[in-house]
Amino acid sequence: MEVLDKALEILRAYPLCDSCLGRQFAQLGFALENWERGRAIKTLVHMKLVSEYRSGADVLNDLVKLAKTHQPTRRFLSTVGVKAEEEKCYICGGLLADVEKYAEKAAEALRGVEFETFEVGSSLPRDILEREGEVVKRFLITTGESIKHEINRRIGRELLRRLPGKKVEKLRPNVVVKIDFTTGDVSVLKNPVLLEGIYLKLSRRTSQAKKFGGVKATLLEKLQYVRDIFGGVEHVIHAGGREDADARMLGTGRPVVVEVKQPARYRADVPPLVDSDVVFKPIGYVNREEVRRIKEKAKTDIKLYRALVLSERPLTAEELSKVSELSRRTVVQFTPRRIKRLSPKKKRVRMVYDIHARLVSPHVFELYVRCQGGLYVKEFIHGDGGRTTPSVAEILNAQLDVLELDVLAVE
């Protein structure tokens, strides 16, 4: 049998424990642990060699090599007057004999954390990995698995036994138990909670995250209660775009994900928040990919704005009707002067789909702009000294100032 022949070749060169030998053939056969597979292979090799030895074949040296890591073979050799010494496994040095013991330390490290899913990760001494690589390369092993994979699986299985109701999750576990086999230390990496919701901003003195000027509150501050519910040490927000601090976010609201770092629990009832500044409605848990999708989608979302605009010179209804020329127009904008310190030469191209105006008084008009996400709406209105073109100010040949700005819908 090819497996037995290859196993004997390996054992002639290296003493391997049952797990490390069986791992070289991990992809052959199912529902077997590597130590079971390795023990079975050694047993069959033992039977083959003993039969050949009794038939007069010169296999004593092979029996001695096998006996280094196989007790039945040592017992047989003792009956024929040959003493064979036991040796440590060349690859793991005996580590895999009781690797499950680390599950106890892992379970202790997880005490006090309310989680549902976990994964096990490990860090091994370099010499173990180098020795494993040496064996794999020398014998061109294509049917095996890595020692780290075996260790993580075995400890994970033992943790499942000790922590009923928990599940192993490969892609996005709540927690990752990390075991350093160089130091013996066990640590727990807590992945953040990502809670999606929508928010309305009712105040013109509230920003998303930073306080400046006349800002009296931030959405980030308001959502601290979410962090407290999950017992986290810090929280950040990821919004699908943003509005200026003095602009209200109305209508159906804007999507936002609250990221709670180092949480003490991963499931909780989060009530909505309603106050005079902000409304937040939780929707559900998401993953990191959904956060990226929300941010990318904000660049192409269609948004409806309402602006109250002051004109330096009086306007007539007939003059104001000229703004309809800006419907279905492409707008080119260089970074606004108010934020140009961030990226002074960056150019942005966005689409204006519809625009309508209503005269309130000779110097004041109401403007409704339906446009592609990412348009600097204030600059589209007043022109920003020519840094935005075309603009409402350019069409009306008037100096304009935006008195109020609201986001009415995110489509």
Side-chain angles (χ1 to χ4, degrees):
M1 182 185 290
E2 183 182 346
V3 170
L4 297 186
D5 293 339
K6 190 148 195 168
L8 183 54
E9 285 183 17
I10 296 172
L11 292 171
R12 283 170 180 158
Y14 304 103
L16 298 186
C17 67
D18 294 347
S19 288
C20 286
L21 179 64
R23 193 170 58 255
Q24 311 312 312
F25 307 96
Q27 296 178 32
L28 303 179
F30 297 94
L32 288 171
E33 278 300 317
N34 286 331
W35 67 266
E36 294 175 312
R37 187 179 290 106
R39 180 173 297 178
I41 291 172
K42 286 180 182 180
T43 298
L44 290 172
V45 172
H46 167 85
M47 293 168 63
K48 177 176 181 290
L49 292 177
V50 169
S51 177
E52 291 174 353
Y53 178 83
R54 287 174 170 167
S55 298
D58 184 14
V59 293
L60 181 60
N61 188 55
D62 286 345
L63 282 165
V64 171
K65 294 287 188 181
L66 175 61
K68 291 179 180 181
T69 57
H70 191 237
Q71 189 180 49
T73 305
R74 289 197 298 275
R75 289 200 303 263
F76 169 74
L77 288 176
S78 69
T79 66
V80 296
V82 177
K83 185 177 180 180
E85 297 293 335
E86 182 179 5
E87 292 188 16
K88 286 186 177 181
C89 176
Y90 177 76
I91 293 179
C92 76
L95 173 66
L96 294 182
D98 58 350
V99 74
E100 282 83 359
K101 69 182 182 183
Y102 287 91
E104 182 177 353
K105 295 179 70 173
E108 182 62 31
L110 288 167
R111 195 180 303 280
V113 182
E114 299 176 23
F115 67 98
E116 296 181 346
T117 60
F118 73 93
E119 175 64 310
V120 176
S122 58
S123 176
L124 294 174
R126 179 178 294 180
D127 57 344
I128 289 181
L129 299 176
E130 289 176 348
R131 290 195 295 267
E132 178 179 56
E134 176 188 334
V135 173
V136 170
K137 183 177 180 180
R138 177 171 175 177
F139 293 99
L140 304 176
I141 302 297
T142 60
T143 56
E145 68 171 337
S146 72
I147 187 171
K148 289 183 66 171
H149 191 274
E150 176 178 351
I151 287 173
N152 296 345
R153 185 183 66 253
R154 286 172 59 178
I155 295 176
R157 185 179 61 245
E158 179 63 17
L159 272 176
L160 287 173
R161 190 184 69 79
R162 292 171 177 266
L163 303 172
K166 309 306 182 185
K167 296 179 180 178
V168 173
E169 169 61 53
K170 300 288 186 182
L171 296 178
R172 190 66 183 174
N174 297 151
V175 297
V176 178
V177 181
K178 304 191 75 174
I179 303 169
D180 188 334
F181 284 93
T182 302
T183 63
D185 293 336
V186 176
S187 59
V188 175
L189 171 65
K190 299 177 184 178
N191 282 319
V193 170
L194 298 172
L195 180 70
E196 182 184 7
I198 58 171
Y199 77 90
L200 304 178
K201 187 159 74 70
L202 311 178
S203 168
R204 299 191 189 281
R205 297 182 63 190
T206 300
S207 67
Q208 272 192 5
K210 294 182 180 179
K211 279 189 175 180
F212 55 89
V215 172
K216 68 173 185 177
T218 68
L219 177 64
L220 182 65
E221 290 175 336
K222 298 283 185 177
L223 295 178
Q224 180 177 322
Y225 84 102
V226 178
R227 181 197 73 191
D228 294 340
I229 287 174
F230 288 100
V233 300
E234 183 186 358
H235 73 293
V236 296
I237 58 175
H238 308 280
R242 66 179 180 86
E243 65 288 322
D244 291 336
D246 60 354
R248 295 184 299 180
M249 179 67 235
L250 306 176
T252 54
R254 188 187 295 277
V256 64
V257 174
V258 186
E259 177 178 345
V260 180
K261 299 184 179 182
Q262 295 292 310
R265 62 194 58 88
Y266 284 85
R267 291 290 170 180
D269 292 327
V270 180
L273 167 70
V274 179
D275 67 17
S276 60
D277 299 321
V278 167
V279 175
F280 172 72
K281 179 183 177 182
I283 296 175
Y285 301 97
V286 295
N287 55 31
R288 190 67 67 180
E289 183 59 36
E290 182 64 13
V291 174
R292 287 191 284 267
R293 190 195 68 79
I294 289 172
K295 286 181 169 289
E296 285 300 313
K297 188 172 181 292
K299 298 176 183 179
T300 56
D301 277 340
I302 297 175
K303 297 179 174 67
L304 176 62
Y305 292 86
R306 169 200 167 270
L308 193 64
V309 185
L310 174 67
S311 172
E312 184 182 40
R313 70 175 182 85
L315 298 170
T316 65
E318 183 179 357
E319 286 181 302
L320 194 59
S321 66
K322 293 180 181 179
V323 301
S324 61
E325 298 175 17
L326 293 171
S327 293
R328 296 177 294 281
R329 292 284 298 274
T330 298
V331 177
V332 177
Q333 298 183 298
F334 288 91
T335 305
R337 286 176 293 182
R338 60 189 168 97
I339 60 171
K340 67 179 182 179
R341 64 187 182 279
L342 301 178
S343 49
K345 296 182 179 180
K346 192 172 182 179
K347 184 170 73 172
R348 180 176 290 189
V349 179
R350 292 295 187 270
M351 186 74 181
V352 172
Y353 299 105
D354 294 294
I355 184 168
H356 299 280
R358 181 181 71 86
L359 197 64
V360 176
S361 71
H363 287 274
V364 178
F365 62 93
E366 200 171 39
L367 195 66
Y368 292 87
V369 181
R370 186 170 175 267
C371 60
Q372 183 182 357
L375 179 76
Y376 294 117
V377 178
K378 288 179 180 177
E379 284 69 23
F380 168 64
I381 294 172
H382 60 60
D384 197 25
R387 295 175 70 86
T388 291
T389 184
S391 67
V392 177
E394 180 183 347
I395 291 294
L396 296 178
N397 191 27
Q399 184 173 330
L400 305 178
D401 186 26
V402 180
L403 302 176
E404 294 179 355
L405 184 66
D406 296 325
V407 186
L408 300 183
V410 177
E411 300 178 17

